[in-house]
Amino acid sequence: MQPWVFLTFFMIVVGLPVILGVGSNVFGRWLKHKERMAEALNAQTAEKAAQYAAHTERLEQRVRVLERIVTDKGIAIADQIESLRDVPALSDGPN
């Protein structure tokens, strides 16, 4: 038997299963790492979404308050401003 035939046989019978076994182990670890990274990213994204929702809710509440001020008190405030214009200016005293 020639040496290259023996070497080829040895690589196929022993080397290939060892390489595939180690490679599958490395691939499994890499895949597990990617899954953990995806879970961490999902948790972070969910947290940011909750923060944005809370911020949006606060802004909506402020807008509601401003709308209420404008619609409820807007006319009354305008009337008060107009009534102040009607009041004669008071002088500080005799000159």
Side-chain angles (χ1 to χ4, degrees):
M1 196 186 292
Q2 294 182 2
W4 63 271
V5 174
F6 179 73
L7 183 62
T8 304
F9 177 76
F10 180 78
M11 288 299 293
I12 292 172
V13 172
V14 176
L16 193 60
V18 169
I19 291 172
L20 291 176
V22 171
S24 68
N25 189 16
V26 169
F27 180 73
R29 288 184 183 198
W30 176 78
L31 192 59
K32 214 177 260 189
H33 171 72
K34 284 295 195 180
E35 288 173 354
R36 278 187 264 136
M37 292 298 289
E39 289 172 3
L41 183 62
N42 286 342
Q44 184 181 15
T45 302
E47 182 180 338
K48 281 187 179 184
Q51 289 174 354
Y52 289 144
H55 183 69
T56 302
E57 179 63 29
R58 285 193 304 271
L59 289 175
E60 287 176 355
Q61 288 174 355
R62 293 178 74 179
V63 168
R64 279 190 218 114
V65 168
L66 291 173
E67 287 174 345
R68 196 174 331 121
I69 289 171
V70 168
T71 57
D72 294 347
K73 298 179 182 177
I75 295 172
I77 290 173
D79 291 340
Q80 289 176 358
I81 291 171
E82 289 300 320
S83 69
L84 290 174
R85 289 184 182 159
D86 295 336
V87 175
L90 298 174
S91 62
D92 292 337
N95 285 356

